[in-house]
Amino acid sequence: MNLALLHGGFSPMVCDSCNSAQAERFTDSSDVAWVVLCTGLVLSLIVLVASWAVPWRRGQAAKRALFAMAAPVLAGVAFVAFTGLVDRPRSG
């Protein structure tokens, strides 16, 4: 989760040398992508906390495991969605 947030935080530096049209497209897409990334990471954290909140009984072990496995999957999906939504400038 931290690496996805770090990558998302540093990605605006990709467009430091962009012209105004490229910078505007990048900023618009980056703003939407940032919201998607943060929402996905918060949902991932909620699911992880839910995995610890489920009662520690044998009958609930499958539910706890499902929540625990869903948290990193949600973080990965949020990162992939962020990467896909950002309109990076083309070099050259």
Side-chain angles (χ1 to χ4, degrees), residues 11-57:
S11 66
M13 285 191 244
V14 166
C15 202
D16 282 346
S17 63
C18 295
N19 63 31
S20 62
Q22 286 177 326
E24 190 165 331
R25 277 195 320 271
F26 176 80
T27 301
D28 292 343
S29 67
S30 180
D31 290 344
V32 171
W34 181 253
V35 171
V36 169
L37 178 66
C38 289
T39 302
L41 293 179
V42 166
L43 287 174
S44 176
L45 182 62
I46 289 169
V47 170
L48 186 62
V49 169
S51 74
W52 282 91
V54 172
W56 285 79
R57 295 189 195 110

